[in-house]
mmCIF file of all heavy atoms in Angstrom:
data_model
loop_
_atom_site.group_PDB
_atom_site.id
_atom_site.type_symbol
_atom_site.label_atom_id
_atom_site.label_comp_id
_atom_site.label_asym_id
_atom_site.label_seq_id
_atom_site.Cartn_x
_atom_site.Cartn_y
_atom_site.Cartn_z
ATOM 1 N N TYR A 22 122.804 -17.551 -14.243
ATOM 2 C CA TYR A 22 123.274 -16.969 -12.974
ATOM 3 C C TYR A 22 123.571 -15.476 -13.153
ATOM 4 O O TYR A 22 123.284 -14.656 -12.272
ATOM 5 C CB TYR A 22 124.552 -17.668 -12.494
ATOM 6 C CG TYR A 22 124.421 -19.134 -12.181
ATOM 7 C CD1 TYR A 22 125.510 -19.989 -12.332
ATOM 8 C CD2 TYR A 22 123.213 -19.663 -11.739
ATOM 9 C CE1 TYR A 22 125.400 -21.341 -12.034
ATOM 10 C CE2 TYR A 22 123.108 -21.013 -11.457
ATOM 11 C CZ TYR A 22 124.190 -21.855 -11.611
ATOM 12 O OH TYR A 22 124.075 -23.184 -11.330
ATOM 13 N N CYS A 34 120.628 0.669 -9.253
ATOM 14 C CA CYS A 34 120.780 1.854 -10.095
ATOM 15 C C CYS A 34 119.493 2.664 -10.163
ATOM 16 O O CYS A 34 119.518 3.901 -10.070
ATOM 17 C CB CYS A 34 121.216 1.452 -11.501
ATOM 18 S SG CYS A 34 122.918 0.874 -11.627
ATOM 19 N N LEU A 90 113.785 -10.849 -12.798
ATOM 20 C CA LEU A 90 114.164 -9.632 -13.510
ATOM 21 C C LEU A 90 112.939 -8.782 -13.837
ATOM 22 O O LEU A 90 112.929 -7.573 -13.586
ATOM 23 C CB LEU A 90 114.919 -10.000 -14.792
ATOM 24 C CG LEU A 90 115.532 -8.847 -15.586
ATOM 25 C CD1 LEU A 90 116.583 -8.124 -14.761
ATOM 26 C CD2 LEU A 90 116.136 -9.370 -16.890
ATOM 27 N N ALA A 92 109.769 -8.939 -12.539
ATOM 28 C CA ALA A 92 109.007 -8.504 -11.366
ATOM 29 C C ALA A 92 109.707 -7.377 -10.616
ATOM 30 O O ALA A 92 109.076 -6.387 -10.233
ATOM 31 C CB ALA A 92 108.763 -9.688 -10.429
ATOM 32 N N LEU A 132 103.348 -34.142 -10.848
ATOM 33 C CA LEU A 132 102.783 -35.203 -11.678
ATOM 34 C C LEU A 132 103.767 -35.675 -12.740
ATOM 35 O O LEU A 132 103.422 -36.508 -13.575
ATOM 36 C CB LEU A 132 101.503 -34.697 -12.372
ATOM 37 C CG LEU A 132 100.385 -34.179 -11.456
ATOM 38 C CD1 LEU A 132 99.218 -33.697 -12.303
ATOM 39 C CD2 LEU A 132 99.932 -35.259 -10.485
ATOM 40 N N LEU A 199 94.337 -31.618 -13.671
ATOM 41 C CA LEU A 199 93.657 -31.620 -12.374
ATOM 42 C C LEU A 199 92.380 -32.457 -12.446
ATOM 43 O O LEU A 199 92.067 -33.246 -11.544
ATOM 44 C CB LEU A 199 93.335 -30.194 -11.941
ATOM 45 C CG LEU A 199 92.613 -30.035 -10.612
ATOM 46 C CD1 LEU A 199 93.483 -30.576 -9.474
ATOM 47 C CD2 LEU A 199 92.275 -28.568 -10.359
#
Side-chain angles (χ1 to χ4, degrees):
Y22 298 151
C34 288
L90 187 62
L132 303 179
L199 179 62

